[in-house]
Every structure is written in C-alpha cells, then in structure tokens.
C-alpha cells in the first residue's frame, strides 16, 4: 500500500480505523476507542490476524517498512487476576 500523504487521512475498509499521514512517516492511527496510536500498535492488535490474501490486500497496514517496530506495550495486556473470596454455603 502506498504511503499516506502528510495531512490526509485514509480509512481502512476492514477495521475502520483512520490513518493520518504525518511528515517523516510516523503516521497516527485513530482508533474508535482511546487516543491515537502507531501503525505498530495497529499491527499488534488487529492486522497480524488477517488470514486471507483478499483481507491482506485491503489492509492499509501490511507494509512492514511503514509500521516500524512493534513493542511489547503495543499488544493488549493480559487481563488482571481477580481473586474472589469463597462464599459460605447456604445454611452453614
């Protein structure tokens, strides 16, 4: 996929995020929830799971040279462990 010109946005037809072209190539990804992120974060959370060639051809984020290095913090974190105390049995 070609670079997105600085100052413009393109919407991915698959996941519906908008990618805003920035000077220097560090594009901003506007997710539906939360603040903007990077193409690497989008890859870690969404794009890597595309399986078919048709899906990959539609994706705006398949070019590894445009997304940069994925950091551990780009992935979704594990859900926290919630300890629920046992309840007493009825009639006990």
């Amino acid at each position: 996929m070609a670079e997105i010109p600085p100052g413009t946005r393109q919407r991915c037809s698959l996941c519906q995020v908008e990618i805003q072209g920035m000077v220097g190539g560090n594009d901003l990804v506007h997710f539906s929830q939360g603040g903007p992120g990077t193409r690497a974060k989008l890859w870690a959370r969404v794009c890597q799971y595309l399986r078919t060639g048709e899906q990959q051809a539609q994706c705006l984020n398949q070019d590894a040279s445009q997304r940069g290095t994925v950091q551990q913090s780009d992935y979704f974190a594990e859900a926290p462990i919630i300890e629920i105390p046992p309840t007493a049995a009825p009639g006990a």
Side-chain angles (χ1 to χ4, degrees), residues 24-54:
N26 294 325
D27 298 344
L28 285 178
V29 176
H30 297 276
F31 296 98
S32 61
Q33 296 289 315
T38 63
R39 283 179 174 260
K41 183 177 275 191
L42 177 60
W43 172 262
R45 295 184 177 192
V46 181
C47 307
Q48 69 168 323
Y49 298 108
L50 300 177
R51 296 294 177 229
T52 68
E54 182 181 345

Side-chain angles (χ1 to χ4, degrees), residues 2-65:
E3 288 185 34
I4 298 172
T8 63
R9 288 186 180 194
Q10 287 186 5
R11 181 179 299 272
C12 179
S13 62
L14 292 175
C15 66
Q16 299 299 308
V17 301
E18 285 190 349
I19 301 177
Q20 179 179 352
M22 302 295 286
V23 174
N26 294 325
D27 298 344
L28 285 178
V29 176
H30 297 276
F31 296 98
S32 61
Q33 296 289 315
T38 63
R39 283 179 174 260
K41 183 177 275 191
L42 177 60
W43 172 262
R45 295 184 177 192
V46 181
C47 307
Q48 69 168 323
Y49 298 108
L50 300 177
R51 296 294 177 229
T52 68
E54 182 181 345
Q55 289 173 328
Q56 292 170 352
Q58 293 177 51
C59 180
L60 293 179
N61 200 31
Q62 290 296 305
D63 186 346
S65 69

